[in-house]
Amino acid sequence: MVEKQGGECFCDCIKQIIILSLILTAHLKSQVPSFYQSTDGWQFTISNNQATIIGKVNATGQLLIPSTISNYPVVGIGLGGVGFGYTDIGISIPSTVTNIESNPFRAIFSLTNITVDPDNPAFMVEQGALYNKSKTTLHIVLPPLTASGFNVPTTVTNIGPYAFNKCSNLTSITIPEGMLEIGAFAFRECSNLPSITIPASVTNIGDRAFGNIYKLTNITVASANPVFSSEGGTLFNKDRTILLRHPAYRNNKSFVIPSKYRDWQ
């Protein structure tokens, strides 16, 4: 009798585990956006009855991102490689888009222009560069804009991730005092940029913000900066215990690690 009751209890436990597993699986599936592709090649996800564009098949010319797709409003542009591998592509952003991931157009080999609907409440374009509406965040700078250097507007406090991605023409950059953050990979593959000066106000520098800058010889940090410092053109944290970036093109035959050094990033 005891064995029978134990077996019944065991079976009940198994049933409860199965039911809970099915409920959990259904819940997790409901949290994952569904992936779709429209007949004209737009790839997108649906979440909360809103669409996010993540790609375009056979992208050519000026890409007019739709404001609605399959009767869903398009509110975002995500990290799906929009225009991956294509050249001479332009992007037009509708008024409905209020969220753009970290430069989702960085896979385009030659991005020629970006336009934004004037009624868009979140973004604006000025002289070809994409900003948030209040012009405090610089999201994307087109490579052709940087042929003679680039002066970041004084209103900008945040340079977004991948903002200057593949701006190989960039030979000078002016980052104004008041800048707070330089995003991850912000200057990725700005291969001809020789030097960078970081003002005292910058307190956050993202991962590999100065990665793949092959002609970079010097990084200078304002002495009043409370978080970062530089020595001999190399970027450190303030007390020089963490080496953050040594310029790739600096022709050091030897490099003396500071005596306080304990880590690198």
Side-chain angles (χ1 to χ4, degrees):
M1 186 70 178
V2 174
E3 290 180 357
K4 185 177 180 181
Q5 289 179 343
E8 289 177 350
C9 289
F10 178 77
C11 291
D12 288 341
C13 289
I14 293 298
K15 289 178 181 179
Q16 290 177 4
I17 291 172
I18 293 173
I19 292 171
L20 288 173
S21 297
L22 291 172
I23 293 172
L24 179 60
T25 300
H27 174 72
L28 291 175
K29 286 184 177 180
S30 70
Q31 303 303 307
V32 177
S34 300
F35 173 83
Y36 301 92
Q37 181 171 310
S38 65
T39 55
D40 55 352
W42 285 107
Q43 297 170 333
F44 59 100
T45 60
I46 297 296
S47 180
N48 297 322
N49 293 318
Q50 295 177 323
T52 294
I53 296 292
I54 59 170
K56 178 70 166 72
V57 176
N58 297 325
T60 58
Q62 189 74 19
L63 297 184
L64 305 176
I65 293 176
S67 57
T68 61
I69 193 165
S70 298
N71 295 320
Y72 294 102
V74 175
V75 298
I77 304 172
L79 296 178
V82 176
F84 179 80
Y86 298 110
T87 61
D88 300 326
I89 298 294
I91 300 290
S92 295
I93 300 171
S95 61
T96 54
V97 170
T98 55
N99 181 55
I100 296 177
E101 298 289 340
S102 305
N103 193 348
F105 315 122
R106 61 180 182 266
I108 297 174
F109 288 160
S110 177
L111 182 60
T112 58
N113 69 84
I114 299 176
T115 62
V116 176
D117 189 302
D119 293 328
N120 188 297
F123 302 103
M124 62 170 288
V125 169
E126 184 174 288
Q127 297 181 346
L130 179 68
Y131 301 87
N132 66 338
K133 198 69 170 184
S134 58
K135 204 178 171 183
T136 56
T137 297
L138 174 57
H139 288 286
I140 303 173
V141 177
L142 299 180
L145 295 178
T146 61
S148 58
F150 191 88
N151 296 324
V152 179
T154 56
T155 57
V156 174
T157 58
N158 177 26
I159 296 175
Y162 294 94
F164 288 86
N165 185 61
K166 296 181 181 178
C167 287
S168 58
N169 291 326
L170 185 66
T171 56
S172 67
I173 181 72
T174 300
I175 301 174
E177 182 62 39
M179 183 68 62
L180 301 177
E181 180 176 3
I182 300 174
F185 301 95
F187 293 92
R188 175 178 176 267
E189 295 188 24
C190 292
S191 52
N192 288 298
L193 183 63
S195 63
I196 295 172
T197 298
I198 300 171
S201 55
V202 173
T203 55
N204 187 33
I205 297 176
D207 183 43
R208 299 184 184 182
F210 311 121
N212 295 7
I213 307 179
Y214 302 116
K215 291 191 176 180
L216 185 64
T217 61
N218 193 64
I219 300 173
T220 302
V221 179
S223 59
N225 190 297
V227 178
F228 303 104
S229 65
S230 58
E231 181 178 331
T234 299
L235 177 65
F236 295 91
N237 65 335
K238 186 62 178 181
D239 59 6
R240 297 178 189 172
T241 57
I242 301 175
L243 191 157
L244 299 172
R245 172 63 63 176
H246 181 70
Y249 203 66
R250 196 168 184 85
N251 293 322
N252 298 81
K253 292 184 179 180
S254 63
F255 180 75
V256 178
I257 298 175
S259 58
K260 296 187 292 182
Y261 173 83
R262 60 176 173 82
D263 201 359
W264 71 86
Q265 291 184 359

